[in-house]
Each structure stands twice: as C-alpha cells, then as structure tokens.
Amino acid sequence: MRPSIFKLVVLLIAVWIAAGECNAQGLKMNFYQESCPLAELIVKTIIQRSVLSNPALPAKFLRMHFHDCFVRGCDASILLDTVDNNAKAEKEAVPNLSLSGFDVIDYIKTQIELLCPNTVSCADILALAARDSVSFLYNWPLWDVPTGRREGDEDGKERDNRGEKGGRISQFINCSLWEVPTGRRDGRISLASDVIANIPSPFSDFNTLMQLFNRKGLNLTDLVLLSGGHTIGVAHCATFSPRLYNFSGHGDQDPSLDPSYAEFLKKRCPNPANPATIVAMDPKSALTFDKHYYQTLLENKGLFVSDAALLTNSDSAKIVGRLHISNSFIPQFANSMKKMGAIEVLTGTAGEIRKQCRVVN
Ligand code: HEM
Ligand SMILES: *[C@@H]1O[C@H](CO)[C@@H](O)[C@H](O)[C@H]1NC(C)=O
Ligand SMILES: *[C@@H]1O[C@H](CO)[C@@H](O)[C@H](O)[C@H]1NC(C)=O
Ligand SMILES: *[C@@H]1O[C@H](CO)[C@@H](O)[C@H](O)[C@H]1NC(C)=O
Ligand SMILES: *[C@@H]1O[C@H](CO)[C@@H](O)[C@H](O)[C@H]1NC(C)=O
C-alpha cells in the first residue's frame, strides 16, 4: 500500500512540475488573466479605434509581426529604436520600407503600463495588435457602414471615410481570426544586419523562400498560406519594377507576369519611378482580407517574383489551386499565424518586460 501511494504522490508531483515547466517554456491562452485581466481588451479597443481612422493599419501590423517573428523570434526586436549608430536597429534595415504603426503600439503600451506596470510584453502587444487589426478589417462588412472605400492609391492616401457614420461602430466586436496565446517576453537585441539573412526578398525564388521558412519551423503549407497576407496592403515600385524593365539584365520584362497587368504597373511606376509611389498588392480587394490573393496569383498578377514563385513548384501550385477554390483560407491562415507567432519566443524568465517598446530597460 504505502509504496504505491508514495509512488503516486511522486508521480503527481513530477507531472505537476513538468506541466509547470511546460507552461513556463511555452505560450498559453489568456496568460495575463490574473496579472492584467484588461490587457487584451485594451489592445483590442485601441486597435479598433485606430483602424477606423486608418484602414491601412492592419497591413502594417500584420507585416510588422511577420518581420518581428522572422528576426530573432517574436520578441518585439522590430520595435526597438537605434541607440548606437554603428549598430542600427532592425527597423532601419533596407527591407523596412514602409513599416509604420509604431506610434499606436506605443500608445497601447502606455495605457497598459498605467494599469499594470512591468507586466505585459511588447511582443504580446504586437502579436495581439496584428490579430485584432486584421480581424477588425475582416469583420468590416458586418458593420454595414456606408462604404466610400478606396483601393490603395498610389498617393498613399488609402484612408476613407469609414467610421464617420454608423453608430454601431462604437460597440465592441470580438470575432478573432486566429488565436494568440500569450506569455512572450521582450528581447534586448535588434540589429539591422540580422534582417537581410532572415527576411525574404521580393525577388526570392521558390527554393530560397522554402529554406527561409523551413529555418523558422514553417513548412510549404505555411509558406503558401502566410504569403496570402498579401491579400491586403501596398508595395513600393522598387519591390517589383525590375520585373517590368530589366528582368534578366537585357531590358526585358518578366515573362511570367501577365502582359496587360505589366502595362498597368508601368503606368503607375515609370522607370525611374517616384520612390514614394505605392501599388495595391491585391488590386481588386486591397482592403479586404480574403482568399482573392490566390486568384491574383493564378491570373499571373502576383506582384512580386516571390508571389509568382508559388506557382513554380508543383506542390506549391497545387496548394494555391486548392485555396482558390475552397473556403479554407481563413482557418488555415489562422493555423499558420499561430505557428508564426510562436517562432523562437522568449518565455519564463528569458528576456524582459520592456517598460517602453522602443528601448530596452
Ligand atoms: C514569403 C515571403 C515574403 C516576401 C518576399 C514579402 C515581401 C514583401 C514586400 C517587398 C512588401 C512591400 C513592402 C513595401 O514596399 O512597402 C510586402 C508587404 C506586405 N507583406 Fe510581405 N512578404 C513576404 C511574406 C509575408 C508574410 C508571411 C506576411 C504576413 C503574414 C506578409 C504581409 C505583408 C503585408 C500585410 C504587406 C503590406 C504592408 C503595407 O501595406 O504597408 N508578407 N511584403
Ligand atoms: C527605414 O530605414 C531607413 C534607412 O534605410 C530609415 O531612414 C527609416 O527611418 C527606416 N524606417 C523606420 C520606420 O524606422
Ligand atoms: C468573444 O470573447 C469572449 C471572451 O473573451 C469569448 O469567450 C468568445 O468566444 C469570443 N467570441 C468570438 C466569436 O470570438
Ligand atoms: C505543415 O504543417 C501543418 C501543421 O501545422 C500540417 O497540417 C501540414 O500538412 C504540413 N504541410 C506540409 C506540406 O508538410
Ligand atoms: C539592366 O541590367 C543590366 C545588368 O544588371 C545593366 O547593365 C543595365 O544597365 C540595366 N539596364 C537598365 C535600363 O536599367
């Protein structure tokens, strides 16, 4: 009798310790339930208000979260400002191009610090901001707002007058597109020199993309799904114009790009282009988070070489075809986002909880 009860107790303690360790090392849903119960609500409320006045923000936060996770893991290293000019921070690397929305993150952090100091990480705030902003955009049609929607224009003013009307907007909605387990902690290092090796270039071929994603524990399915993030947002001419004017160094055009779409792009981006000009990546639905990106690809209108590359491998092309005809984009995208949001996270006592998202403590 005794020995077996003893064994049972030992076993229970071992399981309990193991579970404790599991939680300490991984992320979990509602990590701040006890320590800062209003944290997630504060993020969501501020994000919804910001997106109402600037519908371009969801694309900014989604891309910012991707860049954060691919360089040193999802540790908010993308949010740090440069302190030493000899070692510039990630956000100053060339592929940053149009990263923005940092001010909104700062505002959220300030509000949360007032309520629960030193508790909620910037990395979690960014992961939640990406989820909440894209979800809000996705749920937009539910809100029955007079549209007046404009697609991403080249002048950069893709704001519209949504939200000026429609009293129901002030209500709170919470249809979240993907789960964001929390408990990430913030890193202390941010180097522009880490960016090039980890963030894929828009001129990457299929094998390069696959290698970069595999290195982060993401597979082919994730590559095709996460590239679907390009269903919203804009890109600068420089990210694709060699496809229009000098594809192989002989003044030629990329033969894999639809010729009439190429003509359209050339009008927007003459050679040389105004460096500030932007183009919608999914022109028919630049502000709608949907599966239309895959139709764009199949019409050979993917904007980047890296988008078109998804058709150059037969397994990848099959996934594109399936996503185009099925209704599984949203749930599958959710699955891949959850994986991306867990890349090389710092948890437990690793890293720190920054007091301000732009500087280490
Ligand atoms: C597969 C490799 C990828 C490449 C080569 C790539 C490249 C790019 C480039 C060059 C831009 C345009 C930036 C500019 O000109 O301002 C862009 C924009 C964007 N990317 Fe990606 N990206 C990739 C994957 C992803 C992933 C995984 C996500 C998120 C899930 C994502 C989300 C976005 C969004 C939302 C924008 C629009 C940003 C805006 O409107 O300002 N991308 N991407
Ligand atoms: C992006 O990098 C450039 C330098 O390459 C820098 O001037 C700019 O401030 C950076 N953008 C952000 C948002 O930090
Ligand atoms: C809304 O939020 C509540 C509380 O966090 C949650 O229980 C519920 O499942 C959410 N509903 C949706 C549709 O996400
Ligand atoms: C990628 O991983 C997911 C699990 O997250 C799995 O369902 C899917 O089949 C995998 N895809 C490939 C091509 O291995
Ligand atoms: C095209 O690329 C080649 C090789 O990189 C270069 O020598 C040439 O000057 C470029 N032509 C134009 C019009 O940019």
Side-chain angles (χ1 to χ4, degrees):
M1 226 24 199
R2 253 173 196 267
S4 77
I5 284 181
F6 179 73
K7 265 190 217 153
L8 185 68
V9 169
V10 168
L11 183 71
L12 278 176
I13 290 174
V15 168
W16 180 70
I17 290 173
E21 271 178 2
C22 264
N23 278 346
Q25 277 162 13
L27 305 172
K28 62 174 192 176
M29 292 302 289
N30 298 311
F31 181 82
Y32 300 109
Q33 199 159 32
E34 250 108 70
S35 58
C36 192
L38 288 179
E40 295 204 13
L41 187 62
I42 293 173
V43 175
K44 193 172 292 195
T45 309
I46 297 175
I47 285 295
Q48 293 190 352
R49 215 169 57 206
S50 313
V51 176
L52 277 175
S53 61
N54 183 3
L57 280 176
K60 309 293 176 203
F61 291 129
L62 183 60
R63 179 160 181 254
M64 199 191 287
H65 183 40
F66 159 55
H67 278 220
D68 185 32
C69 293
F70 265 60
V71 186
R72 294 183 178 271
C74 316
D75 68 343
S77 50
I78 187 76
L79 301 179
L80 289 171
D81 283 344
T82 295
V83 283
D84 171 3
N85 272 329
N86 293 320
K88 290 210 188 295
E90 278 172 37
K91 61 166 69 154
E92 297 207 47
V94 174
N96 80 11
L97 289 166
S98 58
L99 286 174
S100 65
F102 296 106
D103 50 338
V104 179
I105 300 288
D106 288 341
Y107 181 65
I108 294 172
K109 176 65 171 172
T110 311
Q111 297 306 108
I112 291 183
E113 281 303 292
L114 288 176
L115 206 63
C116 345
N118 311 318
T119 307
V120 180
S121 70
C122 297
D124 279 338
I125 291 175
L126 177 52
L128 292 164
R131 192 268 312 270
D132 291 343
S133 59
V134 173
S135 302
F136 190 59
L137 192 69
Y138 177 77
N139 288 315
W140 200 281
L142 294 179
W143 289 87
D144 186 28
V145 182
T147 49
R149 242 185 220 217
R150 281 196 270 141
E151 313 272 78
D153 294 338
E154 73 264 52
D155 62 3
K157 291 191 189 121
E158 72 244 78
R159 293 162 194 227
D160 61 19
N161 61 358
R162 308 195 231 180
E164 305 273 311
K165 303 165 190 156
R168 286 156 73 213
I169 286 299
S170 57
Q171 286 175 40
F172 174 73
I173 55 171
N174 79 340
C175 302
S176 298
L177 286 187
W178 62 90
E179 283 186 341
V180 176
T182 41
R184 294 170 189 77
R185 290 171 61 90
D186 300 324
R188 296 194 182 92
I189 301 169
S190 176
L191 293 172
S193 52
D194 284 338
V195 176
I196 297 294
N198 290 289
I199 296 292
S201 135
F203 301 100
S204 307
D205 61 15
F206 178 80
N207 288 333
T208 308
L209 293 172
M210 207 57 261
Q211 269 166 26
L212 288 170
F213 273 65
N214 280 338
R215 259 177 27 203
K216 305 294 166 186
L218 301 174
N219 66 20
L220 172 63
T221 315
D222 301 313
L223 169 63
V224 179
L225 263 304
L226 293 173
S227 296
H230 291 169
T231 178
I232 50 171
V234 295
H236 292 77
C237 296
T239 59
F240 57 85
S241 70
R243 299 185 78 190
L244 307 174
Y245 299 108
N246 204 1
F247 184 61
S248 58
H250 301 100
D252 54 340
Q253 190 168 303
D254 183 345
S256 73
L257 183 62
D258 176 81
S260 63
Y261 190 51
E263 286 314 306
F264 165 82
L265 292 173
K266 280 177 173 171
K267 288 207 188 80
R268 290 218 167 179
C269 302
N271 193 18
N274 174 346
T277 302
I278 53 176
V279 169
M281 289 191 289
D282 185 2
K284 290 251 169 61
S285 64
L287 284 176
T288 356
F289 195 83
D290 58 11
K291 65 172 179 176
H292 193 269
Y293 169 78
Y294 300 103
Q295 179 169 334
T296 306
L297 286 190
L298 291 169
E299 290 171 352
N300 298 317
K301 294 176 181 172
L303 192 55
F304 305 139
V305 169
S306 63
D307 294 318
L310 299 179
L311 296 178
T312 63
N313 168 278
S314 65
D315 292 332
S316 168
K318 260 183 230 151
I319 300 177
V320 170
R322 276 206 297 273
L323 287 167
H324 168 60
I325 56 172
S326 76
N327 283 322
S328 63
F329 170 60
I330 297 291
Q332 284 200 264
F333 184 79
N335 183 56
S336 294
M337 281 304 293
K338 212 169 154 185
K339 279 168 90 172
M340 189 181 92
I343 295 172
E344 297 161 26
V345 287
L346 302 172
T347 55
T349 54
E352 63 183 22
I353 303 293
R354 256 176 240 157
K355 291 184 201 306
Q356 287 179 49
C357 293
R358 290 173 186 270
V359 288
V360 297
N361 293 343

